[in-house]
Amino acid sequence: MRLHTIILGLCSASAIAFGAHAESITIATVNNGDMVRMQKLTDDFTAKNPDIQLQWVTLEENVLRERVTTDIATKGGQYDVMTIGTYEVPIWAKQDWLLPLDNLGDTYDAGDIIPAIAGGLSLDGKLYAAPFYGESSFVMYRKDLMDKAGLTMPEAPTWEFIADAARKMTDRASDINGVCLRGKAGWGENIAFLTAMANSFGARWFDENWQPQFDQPEWKNALQFYIDLMKDAGPQGASSNGFNENLALFQQGKCGMWIDATVAASFVSNPTDSTVADKVGYALAPDTGLGKRGNWLWAWSLAIPAGTQKAEAAQKFVAWATSKEYLELVASKEGWANVPPGTRTSLYENPEYQQAAPFAKMTLDSINSADPTHPTVKPVPYVGVQFVAIPEFQGLGTTVGQLFSAALAGQSSVDDALAGAQTAAVREMTRAGYIK
């Protein structure tokens, strides 16, 4: 009995000692499907790194952006790993807010990251965030509803075709909307979609002298087209719908078409979650014949704030979550079609992935065709397809997003929304010293 008690005491002491030496890192991430899946698979990481414990903060997209921006700008130190995107990385790296990822391990193979994605996450040749998944945007559509409407989706459709098809596919009695598009306010929600769309209409945020351009006819044409289309063929309450809400609607069979992130393809084609998995087709983002398609370029990525006291453990986690081995782990658990897309060249050279993911080639083509350095028809002084890569854009984009969402909800006219956007943009760009 006494020996048994001693042994138990020694075991308890060992457990306490182990727990005391385990290092805990806090990871802030977005509530998108790939990130939720990652959390379910982290037993693999902790088994390989028993001295590191993981704490998760999982947030809706707009809330995540606000929290991590506030934390890093104020040096709050709440997070050791942050999920951020192509917009933030070069801006924050230039401010010395992020650590360069120069210790991801000998087998990481950073050279395998798709160049278009790596370029957006680097500054002066150094990688400051590792892409968890990369994306452009394209059209996902119901082949059965397209056939029923007597139409054939072109590989490279125009916005005119999309609008005609959406109205013909709409069946309110059967709760089928011809098209689902982002309407939720936010610089990374409705503004991401509408900016990319507006590019294809010839619109731009600013001219070469940083003068706001919302008072120009190209923006009027783009926003009016969007509002009219959503009124005729979109779902009710569309001004509250972002990526996740439209994903759910499409999976439930309530959207004829959805123009959004290429990363959604694995979710709409997964029979476990999607009622229309065997009916989905894909096409390039639409254009108006002006030479620019409405597709963006983005990567949800893992970065390490410069203020962390746990940089070594954080880099181990980032290396695990964005490695080739992680893709293989997801494939072994969920199938190749469900691995995080858009990050590694080797994935698109993998015959198993090519066979399992019919959307693979179009995803890669869309990513490679997006040009952040020449995003618009007319010249602009900024970089970025669906955003403007200046620090002021985050606040301004949110303001404009609220104005456009209100117009979609019928709370204001298109003209009033654009006038408000122009006023807000002039005020902000004057305050920041871009214009006098």
Side-chain angles (χ1 to χ4, degrees), residues 197-355:
M197 177 184 177
N199 291 343
S200 69
F201 276 74
R204 51 187 175 165
W205 273 69
F206 307 105
D207 69 10
E208 302 97 311
N209 298 312
W210 292 103
Q211 294 289 337
Q213 298 294 291
F214 293 104
D215 59 353
Q216 297 302 301
E218 293 89 350
W219 263 110
K220 172 70 178 291
N221 293 340
L223 189 60
Q224 190 69 61
F225 182 95
Y226 163 80
I227 297 289
D228 290 345
L229 177 58
M230 292 296 282
K231 180 180 178 181
D232 293 345
Q236 286 190 336
S239 61
S240 298
N241 293 345
F243 174 85
N244 283 323
E245 291 80 8
N246 284 327
L247 170 61
L249 286 171
F250 195 94
Q251 289 177 321
Q252 294 162 12
K254 296 181 179 181
C255 302
M257 291 178 289
W258 180 29
I259 304 170
D260 212 297
T262 53
V263 72
S266 68
F267 296 102
V268 300
S269 61
N270 186 340
T272 302
D273 303 312
S274 176
T275 62
V276 296
D278 60 341
K279 301 178 176 67
V280 185
Y282 309 94
L284 294 173
D287 71 356
T288 62
L290 297 177
K292 293 292 179 181
R293 295 202 164 270
N295 60 303
W296 63 65
L297 184 67
W298 183 257
W300 275 119
S301 307
L302 302 180
I304 301 172
T308 183
Q309 302 299 309
K310 303 167 184 177
E312 184 177 351
Q315 290 223 41
K316 286 183 179 179
F317 175 78
V318 171
W320 171 82
T322 62
S323 65
K324 293 179 184 178
E325 290 74 20
Y326 178 79
L327 300 183
E328 292 170 359
L329 174 65
V330 176
S332 70
K333 302 287 187 181
E334 306 277 351
W336 276 107
N338 295 309
V339 304
T343 61
R344 290 187 170 271
T345 299
S346 57
L347 178 65
Y348 291 86
E349 296 171 347
N350 184 329
E352 291 181 279
Y353 184 66
Q354 293 171 358
Q355 182 175 2

Side-chain angles (χ1 to χ4, degrees), residues 51-70:
D51 57 334
I52 302 175
Q53 297 176 347
L54 305 179
Q55 303 293 328
W56 294 91
V57 178
T58 305
L59 301 166
E60 185 269 333
E61 186 171 318
N62 285 339
V63 178
L64 173 77
R65 296 180 196 280
E66 180 182 346
R67 296 270 183 90
V68 298
T69 301
T70 299

Side-chain angles (χ1 to χ4, degrees), residues 22-66:
E23 190 168 32
S24 177
I25 61 173
T26 301
I27 304 158
T29 195
V30 67
N31 65 341
N32 289 352
D34 280 298
M35 274 64 173
V36 172
R37 181 181 289 136
M38 175 177 62
Q39 293 176 49
K40 295 177 181 177
L41 297 175
T42 48
D43 283 351
D44 180 80
F45 174 79
T46 53
K48 295 171 180 174
N49 299 274
D51 57 334
I52 302 175
Q53 297 176 347
L54 305 179
Q55 303 293 328
W56 294 91
V57 178
T58 305
L59 301 166
E60 185 269 333
E61 186 171 318
N62 285 339
V63 178
L64 173 77
R65 296 180 196 280
E66 180 182 346

